[in-house]
Amino acid sequence: MTASRRRMVPAYLATGGRSRPGNKGFERLTVLFADRADPPDALEPEHRRLWELLRPGALTVVEAAAHLRLPVSATVFLAADLVEAGCLRARAPIPRAQQTDRSIVERLLVGLRALR
């Protein structure tokens, strides 16, 4: 069966029927990355898929959910389980940069022009 024809796993199966993840603080843009070079033993298939997806590099929760074809909420459960097991690490989203104060830029331009 090709990857595009793979059946989706219902969210309640991927989460083990739980209604709340173990860790708090996961957001859609939380960055996840593998914390181990070797695959962890005795992982459920969906946990293993998430770990293998993150092994080459980092992804946000929402990106991982898209790759796994799972709802974001189910991916949060999987990620929380793997973080608690020490297989993944999670980093808070990078905050948006604040807008630059226009007066500072104007003073910088005046200073640069004075150097001519």
Side-chain angles (χ1 to χ4, degrees), residues 19-49:
S19 61
R20 293 199 194 316
N23 272 352
K24 295 181 182 178
F26 280 77
E27 299 176 27
R28 297 171 61 88
L29 297 178
T30 296
V31 179
L32 303 170
F33 49 98
D35 200 26
R36 300 171 58 165
D38 299 324
D41 294 331
L43 285 182
E44 297 293 324
E46 295 304 315
H47 289 91
R48 180 169 292 282
R49 284 183 58 215

Side-chain angles (χ1 to χ4, degrees), residues 41-92:
D41 294 331
L43 285 182
E44 297 293 324
E46 295 304 315
H47 289 91
R48 180 169 292 282
R49 284 183 58 215
L50 177 58
W51 184 84
E52 288 175 352
L53 177 66
L54 295 169
R55 187 170 45 172
L59 290 173
T60 62
V61 170
V62 72
E63 290 169 325
H67 284 285
L68 295 173
R69 295 182 177 197
L70 286 173
V72 173
S73 57
T75 305
V76 166
F77 279 88
L78 298 173
D81 291 346
L82 290 172
V83 167
E84 286 178 8
C87 301
L88 291 184
R89 289 197 305 170
R91 183 177 46 85

